[in-house]
Amino acid sequence: MRFFGFNKRIGVVGMYRSGKTVFMTSLINHLERHDPDRFPLGKKRIRLGNFNPLPVEDGFRAFDYESHRHSLVSLQRWPTKTRMARQFRFNLTRSDWRYTLMDLTLTDLPGERLADIRIAKNSYESWSDEICGLFSTEPEYLAHAQGYIKTLAKAANQDSNPDQDEILHAYRLALARACLSYLPVITPSSFLLGPQGDYCGQRDEKGMAQTRYVGVDKDNQFAPLSKEVRKKHPGLAGLFKRRYEHYRRSVVAPTAHWLAQCNELVVLLDITTILAGGLGMYHGALALIEDLITYVDPGRGVLGQFASGLLKPLSAGHLTLPGITRIAFVASKADKVHASDRQKLLSLLRAMVQSRMNDLSEEYKLRVEYFACAAVKSTVSLNNGKLEGQPVELLQANSQKRPPVVRFTPSKVPGSWPENWGSHEYRFPDILPQMPARKDLAPPHLGLNLVADFLLSSDHLTE
Ligand SMILES: Nc1nc2c(ncn2[C@@H]2O[C@H](COP(=O)(O)OP(=O)(O)O)[C@@H](O)[C@H]2O)c(=O)[nH]1
Ligand SMILES: [Mg+2]
């Protein structure tokens, strides 16, 4: 039989630990072994079939689906941390689109990289002016960046060559402080997430400033220099500019290139962690949404400008402008709150995102939907507001023994975002994954099928 091709490139975007790997693993598993009872799609009991993995595209690393599934099924553990953007490509057919072979690509994209939008759209000089401006005028940044501003002022006033390492260290210290207060503009993002995917796990500013890099690697770091320093020390400015461009080509361009090619995005926001993290973390998540909108909105010209400067040479003259037609915003890990509170997760998600997306969806005919979902449902909700599950904190070090199933009361989800709140006012304990005893079954989930339904629909092919 002949099949018509139908391609969808789906990007899964979210901050570190927002649930991207688990989401992709569970989704792929349900598409691979589709069971219309456990994963109902469409109104007419659609059946999926002919699942067939394909090689990944050039420049991507393969998403290690089998090993992540093994970890869930056989070890009953969450998948280990993934590094780098990972891709999974496969074919699939659906019973309501006869003669259509879907070619689907799922790629995960760390949200931290979106902060590099400022590098994508600026030359080294204008990026420097933007960051130095932010650091010296915005009160919340100023509090962390005073040391850096002073270091620059000293360099501007000295005739001998300034100490490159001192400037870089002062910049890293400013970023570490900003990061510990959840301020969003952490750029270059290599400071948080290295080009090889190594994540900054530290929580002390000195350690972070000593071990992280601002640039492609240790020997290729750069920092923003004020106009005065650039004028006085053109040698240093030229050096940082070359390293900046190297970073732009090797770290920022692939992200922008990949985003420009996506048709659909899944944006995972872990509302439970944002609540538990306090107001600072809320601000960080808002910044992610803003950066994302700036990336995908062709009206803001970012990809347009960026595409002509960077993508054109990369794509041998062919320009692919953003073709995003659908965005699913997903409140992930919904099983960490009580069943009676899940609707509130959705309200909080909408309250954060909706007003920002409305203009965009009208102007560009973007379809935007909101979901609360658990990719691997690992709790049971009881009548008294309690949850039943196996808290990770009860795992004993070096023991293979599973902790007991216990009953606990997670925080209640507020009906709307509070005006202010601190970290640890809300508590939603991490739990171990619960998988069915039957090993060939895909994970139990909450609402993952609704997200899949949205992603696998088409405005052109009708059911
Ligand atoms: N209860 C629950 N926890 C989840 C779920 N998905 C992810 N998690 C938790 O979130 C952690 C990070 O998930 P992961 O997919 O690795 O995040 P990534 O860094 O965005 O890829 C996991 O180790 C789990 O503790 C879920 O569906 N339910
Ligand atoms: Mg991951």
Side-chain angles (χ1 to χ4, degrees):
M1 189 187 307
R2 264 198 62 194
F3 282 116
F4 297 107
F6 177 83
N7 296 336
K8 269 202 194 226
R9 304 172 58 87
I10 304 170
V12 181
V13 186
M15 299 303 257
Y16 184 74
R17 276 185 69 83
S18 57
K20 299 179 293 293
T21 302
V22 174
F23 178 91
M24 279 173 62
T25 306
S26 181
L27 178 63
I28 295 167
N29 200 178
H30 279 284
L31 302 181
E32 176 188 20
R33 301 173 192 206
H34 185 227
D35 173 345
D37 293 325
R38 299 179 73 238
F39 206 76
L41 291 172
K43 293 174 219 94
K44 289 187 274 172
R45 285 186 66 81
I46 291 162
R47 280 172 184 281
L48 302 176
N50 298 301
F51 178 94
N52 182 30
L54 300 169
V56 291
E57 294 166 322
D58 280 352
F60 283 99
R61 303 214 180 168
F63 180 76
D64 201 351
Y65 164 62
E66 289 300 341
S67 112
H68 297 324
R69 194 184 124 73
H70 172 77
S71 166
L72 285 171
V73 175
S74 304
L75 311 176
Q76 304 260 338
R77 288 283 192 277
W78 297 108
T80 47
K81 296 269 31 107
T82 48
R83 295 177 158 214
M84 316 275 291
R86 297 283 180 169
Q87 190 183 71
F88 195 81
R89 254 185 85 205
F90 54 105
N91 283 141
L92 200 63
T93 55
R94 47 187 284 170
S95 54
D96 56 337
W97 297 349
R98 298 188 66 197
Y99 316 120
T100 300
L101 184 65
M102 293 192 280
D103 177 335
L104 299 172
T105 307
L106 283 167
T107 311
D108 86 43
L109 178 85
E112 290 77 4
R113 285 275 179 267
L114 297 180
D116 286 338
I117 183 86
R118 286 160 194 81
I119 293 182
K121 61 178 184 174
N122 283 312
S123 65
Y124 171 67
E125 291 78 11
S126 45
W127 175 77
S128 283
D129 292 343
E130 202 175 302
I131 302 292
C132 290
L134 185 76
F135 275 14
S136 47
T137 53
E138 290 289 323
E140 44 181 3
Y141 283 93
L142 190 60
H144 305 294
Q146 248 156 8
Y148 187 60
I149 302 290
K150 276 197 197 131
T151 309
L152 288 185
K154 189 178 114 194
N157 287 323
Q158 78 184 55
D159 291 328
S160 57
N161 282 340
D163 181 354
Q164 195 195 122
D165 291 335
E166 186 189 336
I167 293 181
L168 289 170
H169 185 264
Y171 186 55
R172 291 193 305 259
L173 203 56
L175 286 189
R177 291 183 177 151
C179 169
L180 292 173
S181 308
Y182 297 115
L183 291 179
V185 182
I186 306 297
T187 170
S189 67
S190 60
F191 185 75
L192 278 182
L193 188 71
Q196 302 306 320
D198 47 299
Y199 190 78
C200 169
Q202 276 158 315
R203 283 281 156 256
D204 77 293
E205 57 186 49
K206 291 221 173 70
M208 286 165 82
Q210 265 161 20
T211 55
R212 306 300 305 174
Y213 305 136
V214 281
V216 169
D217 55 35
K218 187 167 182 283
D219 299 325
N220 282 290
Q221 303 189 69
F222 58 91
L225 295 177
S226 59
K227 271 197 191 68
E228 296 74 29
V229 179
R230 297 201 306 267
K231 200 159 159 228
K232 183 100 182 197
H233 304 289
L236 180 66
L239 183 72
F240 279 1
K241 183 179 169 70
R242 285 193 295 282
R243 293 175 179 174
Y244 173 92
E245 281 163 1
H246 179 23
Y247 180 83
R248 198 170 184 245
R249 274 192 313 274
S250 54
V251 180
V252 187
T255 304
H257 186 56
W258 169 88
L259 259 172
Q261 290 183 334
C262 279
N263 316 112
E264 301 187 343
L265 291 180
V266 181
V267 184
L268 295 182
L269 286 168
D270 176 2
I271 304 280
T272 61
T273 297
I274 298 173
L275 279 171
L279 185 62
M281 193 169 258
Y282 173 87
H283 286 148
L286 276 189
L288 163 89
I289 297 163
E290 295 287 350
D291 285 345
L292 187 75
I293 292 173
T294 319
Y295 259 114
V296 300
D297 182 356
R300 300 194 192 195
V302 173
L303 274 178
Q305 288 166 17
F306 190 51
S308 45
L310 260 173
L311 296 184
K312 214 166 184 175
L314 286 176
S315 54
H318 299 291
L319 269 188
T320 347
L321 280 175
I324 294 175
T325 55
R326 282 166 193 254
I327 305 187
F329 283 95
V330 177
S332 56
K333 314 184 192 174
D335 60 319
K336 287 175 79 175
V337 310
H338 191 266
S340 58
D341 267 357
R342 289 184 190 139
Q343 205 54 35
K344 290 195 224 149
L345 275 188
L346 200 57
S347 317
L348 293 182
L349 175 70
R350 280 181 186 274
M352 241 178 139
V353 183
Q354 203 161 23
S355 60
R356 292 176 172 77
M357 289 310 296
N358 277 349
D359 296 349
L360 206 60
S361 36
E362 265 165 39
E363 201 171 334
Y364 297 108
K365 310 234 167 338
L366 251 187
R367 292 198 178 217
V368 181
E369 283 286 345
Y370 302 85
F371 305 88
C373 144
V376 179
K377 175 182 178 283
S378 302
T379 63
V380 177
S381 293
L382 306 172
N383 284 334
N384 49 6
K386 287 189 190 264
L387 290 178
E388 202 172 67
Q390 293 178 300
V392 171
E393 63 196 21
L394 297 185
L395 259 184
Q396 279 170 358
N398 305 324
S399 161
Q400 291 303 312
K401 239 179 82 192
R402 283 191 69 82
V405 173
V406 298
R407 294 175 172 194
F408 58 93
T409 311
S411 293
K412 287 214 65 71
V413 179
S416 58
W417 289 104
E419 275 194 19
N420 193 2
W421 75 103
S423 55
H424 307 301
E425 271 181 46
Y426 293 91
R427 219 179 94 78
F428 304 97
D430 280 341
I431 31 240
L432 286 175
Q434 295 295 320
M435 292 290 290
R438 226 182 87 193
K439 291 199 174 200
D440 59 339
L441 285 176
H445 67 94
L446 288 169
L448 185 64
N449 58 322
L450 302 178
V451 187
D453 217 9
F454 177 68
L455 297 175
L456 297 181
S457 309
S458 159
D459 296 330
H460 308 297
L461 290 173
T462 45
E463 289 176 15

